[in-house]
């Protein structure tokens, strides 16, 4: 068997890479994921967009933070051992009724859209993270703050 491939001197076309320039509006974002590496990965993407990010791996610590500090957006993992993302979203909304919540999950295709609507989660992001998905969802759900 002989395989012939054309020779070329051109480099392959670059894939559409997401831009990590500062976001048009920035905010205070809380990231909660019981897997520290995933939480920090998401936080790094957000920090590159110039957001202020607080990272938590314990749902109760994140909620304690939200009880004493304001935030513009919450990213929470769905599957955590002590408390589900649904529970975190509900409690966070009790503390801050207008707080946008983004659910992060590896089970996105299994989630019932009706449950998302009932829980008042604003958006879902699937794992593994894609930078462009994070940038898009933040642009969609981060509330615009008046310029000082």
């Amino acid at each position: 068997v002989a395989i012939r491939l054309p020779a070329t001197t051109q480099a392959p076309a670059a894939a559409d890479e997401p831009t990590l320039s500062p976001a048009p509006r920035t905010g205070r974002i809380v990231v909660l994921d019981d897997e520290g590496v995933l939480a920090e990965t998401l936080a790094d993407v957000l920090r590159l967009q110039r957001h202020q990010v607080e990272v938590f791996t314990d749902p109760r610590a994140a909620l304690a933070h939200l009880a004493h500090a304001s935030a513009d957006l919450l990213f929470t993992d769905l599957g955590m051992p002590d408390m589900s993302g649904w529970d975190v979203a509900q409690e966070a909304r009790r503390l801050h009724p207008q707080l946008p919540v983004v659910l992060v999950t590896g089970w996105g295709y299994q989630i019932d859209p009706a449950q998302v609507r009932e829980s008042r989660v604003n958006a879902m992001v699937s794992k593994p993270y894609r930078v462009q998905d994070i940038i898009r969802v933040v642009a969609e759900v981060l509330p615009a703050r008046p310029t000082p």
Side-chain angles (χ1 to χ4, degrees):
V1 172
I3 298 176
R4 294 179 191 226
L5 300 174
T8 182
T9 58
Q10 295 177 343
D16 290 335
E17 301 222 2
T19 60
L20 289 177
S21 59
R25 59 183 185 257
T26 59
R28 297 159 300 191
I29 301 176
V30 173
V31 171
L32 169 61
D33 195 314
D34 62 317
E35 295 182 56
V37 172
L38 294 178
E40 286 298 335
T41 299
L42 177 54
D44 287 345
V45 170
L46 296 167
R47 287 181 184 123
L48 286 170
Q49 290 277 288
R50 304 288 187 251
H51 299 289
Q52 297 174 359
V53 183
E54 296 289 335
V55 178
F56 297 91
T57 56
D58 177 346
R60 300 199 191 293
L63 290 170
H65 171 78
L66 287 171
H68 296 89
S70 62
D72 299 310
L73 179 59
L74 167 65
F75 277 89
T76 182
D77 186 20
L78 173 60
M80 297 179 284
D82 296 329
M83 186 179 230
S84 78
W86 302 119
D87 297 332
V88 170
Q90 180 180 6
E91 182 61 18
R93 283 285 180 76
R94 187 187 67 72
L95 295 167
H96 301 283
Q98 301 306 314
L99 179 66
V101 177
V102 176
L103 194 65
V104 180
T105 180
W107 310 329
Y109 65 92
Q110 298 173 343
I111 307 274
D112 180 6
Q115 185 176 14
V116 174
R117 283 189 303 277
E118 290 169 12
S119 68
R120 295 176 44 220
V121 167
N122 296 78
M124 288 182 36
V125 174
S126 295
K127 291 180 184 178
Y129 305 129
R130 291 182 356 162
V131 172
Q132 60 268 33
D133 291 340
I134 300 299
I135 292 170
R136 178 189 48 78
V137 79
V138 170
E140 289 174 2
V141 302
L142 186 66
R145 288 188 290 175
T147 49

